[in-house]
Amino acid sequence: MGYNTLNGEKAIKSVRKAVIPAAGLGTRMLPIARAIPKEMLPIVDKPAMAYLVDEAVKSGITDILIITGRNKNAIEDYFDYSPEYEAAFERRGKPEKIDEMRESAAPGGARIYFLRQRETKGLGHAILCAENFVGDEPFAVLYGDDVIVSETEPSTLQLINSYNKFGKTVCGVHRVPREQLKKYCSLKAEPIEGSENEYFVDDMVEKPQREEDMFSDLSILGRVILTPDIFDILRNTAPGAGNEIQLTDAIAAQARRDGVYAIEYEGTRFDIGSKNGFLIANTVMGCRNPETADEYKTFLKEFVKTL
Ligand code: UTP
């Protein structure tokens, strides 16, 4: 077990575990979500889930629990060996391809575990399923349908660095246009002196409908580091918006009790759980991928002229 020093004084446990909730029904991605988990939809040639696992590993995470459900077997298959492909590459004398495939199935040697959430009772309930895996440690949560591409450090690592400073729950936030806040959450946040992108948070509301609940345009988007006391709170959290157990409601209780922190992370977020998010992710990443960029950009330049 590793420890870090908080403000040069108290020792805090390091973040080495991550939970990726991926059991949701994905109703916004119907009809495809009936047969393919939205978390397995491709961005160019890799499923969204692979981007998340890569990000966790690059952030120093060694153990990853993916919360799955019925109709989500494709996730487990992806992170398994592929004996048929391996035999084919063996026959073709391409051993480097076998190594490549094994590395993408277990990036950086990370240990990947799976657990089923039997009923889709909400993101908060999915996280509660991870209690035994997490134990008494801080842990990262990467929302299964939010792919984040950063230019500097992976977004999870940016949050971990912040956690190492404050030793409390840290929410990854971005600014959301006010008219869209109703679909997200709103944080009551005070900038931290001497920091350009970190905040102290003492309240938040999930899907605020009333003007007075819209504390700010800062909303949690896709990543949080949670302290393990969240499990006791989640156990006592009643279903909220959409009649689901909301993770935001539990973090709000932590915020009102002790305060939590937020960091406006650097990175572009693609909501792969929405049709436009999926299309935009493929357009942006298709223009960046060395295998596709030239031809795809040539096509796009001609295509936009016809719009
Ligand atoms: P979302 O609210 O975006 O997922 O949850 P959803 O419920 O599948 O979305 P729609 O509205 O029906 O399209 C964020 C993440 O939490 C997971 C989802 O799989 C997604 O990756 N989740 C959500 C769970 O694991 N369990 C749940 O009960 C709900």
Side-chain angles (χ1 to χ4, degrees):
M1 163 70 55
Y3 285 88
N4 291 308
T5 313
L6 177 64
N7 299 330
E9 297 163 7
K10 203 175 109 193
I12 54 165
K13 289 177 183 168
S14 26
V15 182
R16 55 184 195 98
K17 291 181 181 171
V19 179
I20 306 181
L25 294 175
T27 51
R28 286 169 298 150
M29 284 310 264
L30 283 172
I32 187 72
R34 280 208 309 264
I36 297 177
K38 61 176 171 173
E39 297 82 2
M40 290 305 286
L41 290 173
I43 303 180
V44 186
D45 56 357
K46 278 198 312 185
M49 183 57 78
Y51 287 83
L52 297 182
V53 169
D54 282 348
E55 178 188 321
V57 170
K58 286 187 183 131
S59 302
I61 299 289
T62 55
D63 292 77
I64 300 169
L65 175 67
I66 302 178
I67 307 287
T68 68
R70 284 179 294 284
N71 298 328
K72 302 271 186 174
N73 292 338
I75 302 178
E76 289 192 44
D77 292 344
Y78 183 84
F79 293 102
D80 199 353
Y81 282 145
S82 308
E84 294 81 7
Y85 285 106
E86 291 194 8
F89 286 130
E90 190 86 60
R91 283 196 304 276
R92 292 175 199 175
K94 292 188 170 162
E96 72 286 354
K97 287 275 175 202
I98 299 176
D99 294 343
E100 235 174 71
M101 277 203 318
R102 289 195 172 195
E103 172 58 22
S104 66
R111 290 177 287 266
I112 304 178
Y113 309 84
F114 303 91
L115 185 74
R116 277 194 177 193
Q117 181 191 19
R118 291 185 182 162
E119 291 175 275
T120 44
K121 289 189 191 166
L123 177 57
H125 180 260
I127 298 304
L128 195 48
C129 295
E131 184 172 12
N132 279 350
F133 164 79
V134 168
D136 190 28
E137 295 181 34
F139 63 105
V141 176
L142 292 80
Y143 296 24
D145 51 4
D146 280 329
V147 171
I148 298 170
V149 178
S150 301
E151 302 298 327
T152 52
E153 286 174 329
S155 56
T156 298
L157 182 56
Q158 296 174 50
L159 267 71
I160 291 176
N161 289 337
S162 215
Y163 171 80
N164 288 340
K165 272 198 269 177
F166 303 118
K168 286 191 179 173
T169 284
V170 176
C171 307
V173 298
H174 268 186
R175 292 190 185 277
V176 166
R178 197 136 182 117
E179 63 280 6
Q180 287 181 31
L181 264 182
K182 282 182 182 170
K183 291 190 284 174
Y184 294 86
C185 70
S186 174
L187 272 59
K188 199 168 158 213
E190 280 294 317
I192 304 262
E193 230 183 271
S195 172
E196 279 174 10
N197 60 348
E198 288 163 311
Y199 303 83
F200 178 76
V201 177
D202 61 8
D203 205 356
M204 65 184 71
V205 171
E206 176 68 13
K207 299 195 171 57
Q209 302 300 310
R210 301 177 311 176
E211 196 60 31
E212 64 260 40
D213 290 335
M214 297 187 184
F215 300 123
S216 74
D217 57 357
L218 290 171
S219 193
I220 300 178
L221 289 186
R223 303 287 181 270
V224 287
I225 307 294
L226 296 171
T227 50
D229 56 309
I230 198 76
F231 294 115
D232 275 341
I233 301 175
L234 275 171
R235 243 189 304 284
N236 295 305
T237 301
N243 206 26
E244 294 190 335
I245 298 177
Q246 296 290 347
L247 181 60
T248 310
D249 290 345
I251 305 176
Q254 273 187 331
R256 288 192 290 266
R257 193 186 60 194
D258 309 320
V260 298
Y261 289 83
I263 177 170
E264 230 176 315
Y265 59 82
E266 179 278 313
T268 307
R269 165 187 169 261
F270 301 110
D271 175 9
I272 211 79
S274 78
K275 287 172 184 145
N276 274 318
F278 167 73
L279 293 171
I280 292 167
N282 273 287
T283 302
V284 172
M285 299 309 280
C287 288
R288 291 193 189 176
N289 187 305
E291 265 183 67
T292 55
D294 286 350
E295 206 177 322
Y296 189 52
K297 280 199 255 182
T298 306
F299 160 76
L300 273 185
K301 281 179 197 156
E302 286 307 309
F303 184 63
V304 287
K305 292 182 196 160
T306 68
L307 297 177

